[in-house]
Amino acid sequence: MGQAYTPGLKVSELMVVRKERRLPLKGDVQVKVGDVLKAEDIIARTYLPGKISPLNLVHKMGCQPSELGEYLKVKEGDAIKKGQVLAENNGFLGIKFLKTSVKSPIEGHIEAISQVTGQMMLRGPDIPVQVDAYFDSKVTDVIEDEGCMVEATGSFIQGIFGIGGERRGEIKIVTEDTYSELTSELITEDCKGKIIVGGSYVSYDALKKAEEFGVKGIVIGGFDDSDLKRILGEDLGVAITGHEDIPFSLIITEGYGRIKMAEHTFELLKKREGMEASISGATQIRAGVMRPEIIIPVKDEKLKEVSDDSQHGEGVLAPGSLIRAIREPYFGKIGKVVNLPPELTQVDSETWVRVLQAEFQGGTKGTIPRANVELIAR
């Protein structure tokens, strides 16, 4: 078998980048087809329901649920202020200073009152949510009450792993080459608000200094996975990343450890130095694969080949293809396909699968299940 299809990372100097920008629930879309947008322009707004707070009224009033109705000062659906009286009795033997009253701990409205349990459900204020364009682009389609499709011509780079949400900033190269480490000494005041690009590795000290100096994003070949817990303050689960409470986004282009950034990726970022980029560290490896990405809109270069965003994940795997291993024992290693044997091969798990033979950087050779690699598309 001379070739096969496999997932891969996209690194393109110039292509059409299309993205769907959608609200989490229906709301107000504020753009129309043909609108030219800046990255920070809001395309849609909505409100998420506020947090529910239970309040045990019968406990606080010292009464039975059946008696609660005569003490209530509000009803379901009423708007309430913090400190507003929700229920009150006449006091023991009618004595005013012996009255019992319950005040609202929050501002919001009355969601529900149970005559069975005596519980009152208070809902906090609605939470405003808005979605921006993410990168300088043009609206090509509107999704009624939900969002729109935007597109732009530009450079597009996917990473292997990332953390942190969507951010924007000017690209700044801070290492001399792909082999150099991004150390704390290289992060200076002029990195503030920038997306900085390093070579093979970023240290924990450099990450902390980037936070101190207001760096918006870091793009690097590799880093130590043990630093994740130190950065986040907790172990990272298997869910989608991108929602971490950190002040910058981190994109790893190659893998864990000290791995030099691919020359093609580094040179492309170097060519775009000084330009505005939009990045996202959101990553999901399992069903519905999502990769961290860098989008750099470009206006003055002619597009040679149109590529669709939906095609970022597939490519032809053939002898000579550049691949990255995404499972142990070769996780993160980059190499070239040497051979694609057509027959099924039994692996350590005792299953029979199709494999490939690869030669990795440094001369190491190995046989790997094809499902355990991704194509590095150029």
Side-chain angles (χ1 to χ4, degrees), residues 11 13 155 157 170-180 195-199 219 261-277 294 296 301:
V11 180
E13 182 173 348
S155 297
I157 299 169
E170 182 183 305
I171 294 175
K172 179 177 176 61
I173 308 296
V174 293
T175 62
E176 292 183 357
D177 51 44
T178 60
Y179 293 93
S180 301
I195 296 170
I196 60 175
V197 179
V219 183
M261 185 181 295
E263 292 287 348
H264 180 69
T265 304
F266 188 81
E267 290 303 318
L268 176 53
L269 290 167
K270 192 172 182 179
K271 181 178 180 179
R272 302 304 188 200
E273 185 171 16
M275 298 179 68
E276 288 290 322
I294 306 161
I296 312 166
E301 294 184 19

Side-chain angles (χ1 to χ4, degrees), residues 279-300:
I279 68 172
S280 171
T283 308
Q284 180 171 299
I285 305 298
R286 299 191 177 185
V289 173
M290 183 186 304
R291 294 294 192 186
E293 63 187 17
I294 306 161
I295 299 172
I296 312 166
V298 178
K299 296 179 180 179
D300 301 324

